[in-house]
Coordinates of all heavy atoms in Angstrom, one line a residue:
P295 N -4.7 -1.5 -3.6 CA -6.1 -1.9 -3.2 C -6.6 -1.1 -2.0 O -5.9 -1.0 -1.0 CB -5.9 -3.4 -3.0 CG -4.5 -3.4 -2.4 CD -3.6 -2.3 -3.0
V296 N -7.8 -0.5 -2.1 CA -8.3 0.2 -1.0 C -9.7 -0.4 -0.7 O -10.6 -0.3 -1.5 CB -8.5 1.7 -1.3 CG1 -9.1 2.4 -0.2 CG2 -7.0 2.3 -1.6
K297 N -9.9 -0.9 0.5 CA -11.1 -1.5 1.0 C -12.2 -0.4 1.1 O -11.8 0.8 1.2 CB -10.9 -2.1 2.5 CG -10.4 -3.5 2.5 CD -10.3 -3.9 3.9 CE -9.7 -5.3 4.1 NZ -9.8 -5.7 5.6
H298 N -13.4 -0.9 1.0 CA -14.6 0.0 1.5 C -14.2 0.6 2.8 O -13.8 -0.2 3.8 CB -15.8 -0.7 1.4 CG -17.0 0.2 1.4 ND1 -17.4 0.9 2.6 CD2 -17.8 0.6 0.5 CE1 -18.4 1.6 2.3 NE2 -18.7 1.5 1.0
L299 N -14.3 1.9 3.0 CA -13.8 2.5 4.3 C -14.6 2.0 5.5 O -14.1 2.0 6.6 CB -13.9 4.0 4.2 CG -13.0 4.6 3.1 CD1 -13.3 6.1 3.0 CD2 -11.6 4.4 3.3
G300 N -15.9 1.6 5.3 CA -16.6 1.0 6.4 C -16.1 -0.3 7.0 O -16.4 -0.6 8.1
L301 N -15.2 -0.9 6.1 CA -14.6 -2.2 6.6 C -13.1 -2.1 6.9 O -12.5 -3.0 7.4 CB -14.8 -3.3 5.5 CG -16.2 -3.5 5.0 CD1 -16.2 -4.5 3.8 CD2 -17.0 -4.1 6.1
A302 N -12.6 -0.9 6.7 CA -11.1 -0.7 6.7 C -10.6 -0.4 8.2 O -11.4 0.1 9.0 CB -10.6 0.5 5.8
K303 N -9.5 -1.0 8.5 CA -8.7 -0.6 9.7 C -9.6 -1.0 10.9 O -9.6 -0.3 11.9 CB -8.4 0.8 9.7 CG -7.3 1.2 8.6 CD -6.0 0.7 9.1 CE -5.0 0.5 7.9 NZ -5.1 -0.8 7.3
S304 N -10.2 -2.2 10.9 CA -11.0 -2.6 12.1 C -10.1 -2.7 13.3 O -10.6 -2.5 14.5 CB -11.7 -3.9 11.7 OG -10.8 -4.9 11.4
R305 N -8.9 -3.1 13.1 CA -8.1 -3.2 14.4 C -7.6 -1.9 14.9 O -6.9 -1.9 16.0 CB -6.8 -4.2 14.1 CG -7.2 -5.6 14.0 CD -6.1 -6.5 13.8 NE -5.6 -6.5 12.4 CZ -4.5 -7.1 12.0 NH1 -3.7 -7.7 12.9 NH2 -4.1 -7.1 10.8
L306 N -7.9 -0.9 14.2 CA -7.6 0.5 14.8 C -8.8 1.1 15.4 O -8.8 2.3 15.9 CB -7.0 1.4 13.7 CG -5.6 1.2 13.3 CD1 -5.2 2.1 12.1 CD2 -4.7 1.5 14.5
A307 N -9.9 0.4 15.4 CA -11.2 1.0 15.9 C -11.1 1.5 17.3 O -11.6 2.5 17.7 CB -12.3 0.0 15.7
R308 N -10.5 0.7 18.2 CA -10.4 1.1 19.6 C -9.6 2.4 19.8 O -10.0 3.2 20.5 CB -9.8 0.0 20.4 CG -9.8 0.2 21.9 CD -9.4 -1.0 22.7 NE -9.4 -0.7 24.1 CZ -9.0 -1.6 25.0 NH1 -8.6 -2.8 24.6 NH2 -9.1 -1.3 26.3
A309 N -8.6 2.5 19.0 CA -7.7 3.7 19.1 C -8.2 4.9 18.5 O -8.2 6.0 18.9 CB -6.3 3.4 18.6
A310 N -8.9 4.7 17.2 CA -9.3 5.8 16.4 C -10.8 6.3 16.7 O -11.2 7.3 16.4 CB -9.1 5.5 14.9
G311 N -11.5 5.3 17.3 CA -12.9 5.7 17.6 C -13.7 6.0 16.4 O -13.6 5.4 15.3
G312 N -14.4 7.1 16.5 CA -15.2 7.5 15.3 C -14.5 8.1 14.2 O -15.1 8.4 13.1
L313 N -13.2 8.2 14.3 CA -12.4 8.7 13.2 C -11.7 7.5 12.4 O -10.9 7.8 11.6 CB -11.3 9.7 13.7 CG -11.7 11.0 14.3 CD1 -10.7 11.8 14.9 CD2 -12.6 11.8 13.3
R314 N -12.1 6.3 12.7 CA -11.4 5.2 12.0 C -11.5 5.3 10.5 O -10.5 5.1 9.8 CB -12.1 3.9 12.5 CG -11.5 2.7 11.8 CD -12.2 1.3 12.2 NE -13.7 1.4 11.9 CZ -14.2 1.2 10.8 NH1 -13.5 0.9 9.7 NH2 -15.5 1.2 10.6
E315 N -12.7 5.5 9.9 CA -12.8 5.6 8.5 C -12.0 6.8 7.9 O -11.3 6.6 6.8 CB -14.3 5.7 8.0 CG -15.1 4.6 8.4 CD -16.4 4.7 7.8 OE1 -16.7 5.4 6.9 OE2 -17.4 3.9 8.3
E316 N -12.0 7.9 8.6 CA -11.2 9.0 8.1 C -9.7 8.7 8.2 O -9.0 9.1 7.4 CB -11.5 10.2 9.0 CG -12.8 10.9 8.7 CD -14.0 10.1 9.2 OE1 -13.8 9.2 10.0 OE2 -15.1 10.5 9.0
L317 N -9.3 8.0 9.3 CA -7.8 7.6 9.4 C -7.4 6.7 8.3 O -6.4 6.7 7.7 CB -7.6 7.0 10.8 CG -6.2 6.6 11.0 CD1 -5.2 7.8 10.9 CD2 -6.1 6.0 12.4
A318 N -8.3 5.7 8.0 CA -8.0 4.8 6.9 C -7.8 5.5 5.6 O -7.0 5.2 4.8 CB -9.1 3.7 6.8
L319 N -8.7 6.5 5.3 CA -8.6 7.2 4.0 C -7.4 8.1 4.1 O -6.7 8.2 3.0 CB -9.8 8.1 3.9 CG -9.9 8.9 2.6 CD1 -9.8 8.0 1.3 CD2 -11.2 9.8 2.5
A320 N -7.0 8.7 5.2 CA -5.8 9.5 5.3 C -4.6 8.7 5.0 O -3.7 9.0 4.3 CB -5.7 10.2 6.6
I321 N -4.5 7.5 5.5 CA -3.4 6.5 5.3 C -3.3 6.2 3.8 O -2.1 6.3 3.2 CB -3.5 5.3 6.2 CG1 -3.3 5.7 7.7 CG2 -2.5 4.3 5.7 CD1 -3.6 4.5 8.6
A322 N -4.4 5.9 3.2 CA -4.3 5.6 1.8 C -3.9 6.7 0.9 O -3.2 6.5 0.0 CB -5.7 5.1 1.4
C323 N -4.4 7.9 1.3 CA -4.1 9.1 0.5 C -2.6 9.5 0.7 O -1.9 9.7 -0.3 CB -4.9 10.3 1.0 SG -6.6 10.3 0.4
D324 N -2.1 9.3 1.8 CA -0.6 9.5 2.0 C 0.3 8.5 1.3 O 1.3 8.9 0.7 CB -0.2 9.5 3.5 CG -0.6 10.9 4.3 OD1 -0.6 11.9 3.5 OD2 -0.8 10.9 5.5
T325 N -0.2 7.3 1.3 CA 0.4 6.3 0.5 C 0.5 6.6 -0.9 O 1.6 6.6 -1.6 CB -0.2 4.9 0.7 OG1 -0.1 4.6 2.1 CG2 0.5 3.8 -0.1
V326 N -0.6 6.9 -1.5 CA -0.8 7.2 -3.0 C 0.0 8.5 -3.3 O 0.7 8.5 -4.3 CB -2.3 7.3 -3.4 CG1 -2.4 8.0 -4.8 CG2 -2.9 5.9 -3.4
A327 N 0.0 9.5 -2.5 CA 0.6 10.7 -2.8 C 2.1 10.6 -2.8 O 2.8 11.1 -3.7 CB 0.2 11.8 -1.8
A328 N 2.7 9.8 -1.9 CA 4.1 9.5 -1.9 C 4.5 8.6 -3.1 O 5.5 8.9 -3.7 CB 4.4 8.8 -0.6
A329 N 3.7 7.6 -3.4 CA 4.1 6.7 -4.5 C 4.0 7.5 -5.8 O 4.8 7.2 -6.7 CB 3.1 5.5 -4.5
R330 N 3.1 8.4 -6.0 CA 3.0 9.1 -7.2 C 4.4 10.0 -7.5 O 4.6 10.3 -8.6 CB 1.8 10.1 -7.2 CG 0.5 9.4 -7.3 CD 0.1 9.4 -8.8 NE -0.2 10.7 -9.2 CZ 0.0 11.2 -10.5 NH1 0.3 10.3 -11.4 NH2 -0.3 12.4 -10.8
R331 N 5.0 10.3 -6.5 CA 6.3 11.1 -6.6 C 7.5 10.2 -6.9 O 8.6 10.8 -7.0 CB 6.5 11.9 -5.3 CG 5.4 12.9 -5.0 CD 5.9 14.0 -4.1 NE 6.3 13.5 -2.8 CZ 5.5 13.2 -1.7 NH1 4.2 13.4 -1.8 NH2 6.0 12.8 -0.5
C332 N 7.3 9.0 -7.0 CA 8.4 8.0 -7.3 C 8.7 8.0 -8.9 O 7.8 7.7 -9.6 CB 8.0 6.6 -6.8 SG 9.3 5.4 -7.0
P333 N 9.9 8.2 -9.3 CA 10.1 8.4 -10.7 C 9.8 7.1 -11.6 O 9.5 7.2 -12.7 CB 11.7 8.7 -10.8 CG 12.0 9.3 -9.5 CD 11.1 8.6 -8.4
S334 N 10.0 5.9 -10.9 CA 9.7 4.7 -11.6 C 8.2 4.3 -11.8 O 7.9 3.4 -12.5 CB 10.4 3.5 -11.0 OG 11.8 3.6 -11.1
V335 N 7.4 5.1 -11.1 CA 6.0 4.8 -11.2 C 5.4 5.5 -12.5 O 5.4 6.7 -12.6 CB 5.2 5.3 -10.1 CG1 3.7 5.0 -10.2 CG2 5.7 4.4 -8.8
G336 N 4.9 4.7 -13.4 CA 4.3 5.3 -14.6 C 2.9 5.7 -14.3 O 2.5 6.9 -14.5
T337 N 2.1 4.8 -14.1 CA 0.6 5.0 -13.7 C 0.3 4.3 -12.4 O 0.8 3.2 -12.2 CB -0.3 4.5 -14.8 OG1 0.1 5.1 -16.1 CG2 -1.7 4.8 -14.6
L338 N -0.5 5.0 -11.6 CA -0.9 4.4 -10.3 C -2.4 4.1 -10.4 O -3.2 5.0 -10.6 CB -0.6 5.4 -9.2 CG -0.7 4.7 -7.8 CD1 0.3 5.4 -6.9 CD2 -2.1 4.8 -7.3
F339 N -2.7 2.9 -10.2 CA -4.1 2.4 -10.3 C -4.5 2.1 -8.9 O -3.9 1.4 -8.1 CB -4.2 1.2 -11.2 CG -3.9 1.3 -12.6 CD1 -2.6 1.3 -13.0 CD2 -5.0 1.6 -13.5 CE1 -2.3 1.4 -14.4 CE2 -4.6 1.9 -14.9 CZ -3.3 1.7 -15.3
V340 N -5.7 2.5 -8.5 CA -6.3 2.2 -7.2 C -7.5 1.4 -7.5 O -8.5 1.7 -8.2 CB -6.8 3.5 -6.4 CG1 -7.6 3.1 -5.2 CG2 -5.5 4.2 -5.9
V341 N -7.6 0.2 -6.8 CA -8.7 -0.7 -6.9 C -9.6 -0.5 -5.7 O -9.3 -0.8 -4.7 CB -8.3 -2.1 -7.0 CG1 -9.5 -3.1 -7.2 CG2 -7.3 -2.4 -8.1
T342 N -10.8 0.1 -6.0 CA -11.8 0.4 -5.0 C -13.2 0.6 -5.5 O -13.3 1.0 -6.6 CB -11.4 1.6 -4.1 OG1 -12.1 1.7 -2.9 CG2 -11.5 2.9 -4.9
D343 N -14.1 0.2 -4.7 CA -15.5 0.6 -5.0 C -16.1 1.6 -4.0 O -17.3 1.8 -3.9 CB -16.3 -0.7 -5.0 CG -16.2 -1.5 -6.3 OD1 -16.0 -0.8 -7.3 OD2 -16.2 -2.7 -6.3
D344 N -15.3 2.1 -3.2 CA -15.7 3.1 -2.2 C -15.8 4.5 -2.8 O -14.7 5.0 -3.3 CB -14.8 3.1 -1.0 CG -15.3 4.0 0.2 OD1 -15.2 5.2 0.1 OD2 -15.8 3.4 1.1
P345 N -16.9 5.1 -2.8 CA -17.0 6.5 -3.5 C -16.1 7.6 -2.9 O -15.6 8.4 -3.6 CB -18.5 6.8 -3.4 CG -19.0 5.9 -2.3 CD -18.2 4.7 -2.3

Side-chain angles (χ1 to χ4, degrees):
V296 177
K297 279 184 180 179
H298 194 285
L299 296 176
L301 303 174
K303 293 284 158 275
S304 58
R305 284 185 281 175
L306 283 174
R308 185 173 181 181
L313 294 175
R314 176 183 57 81
E315 293 184 22
E316 286 77 7
L317 181 58
L319 181 57
I321 290 172
C323 284
D324 280 335
T325 300
V326 166
R330 285 266 297 151
R331 298 197 301 274
C332 180
S334 290
V335 175
T337 303
L338 194 150
F339 296 87
V340 168
V341 182
T342 189
D343 280 329
D344 186 282

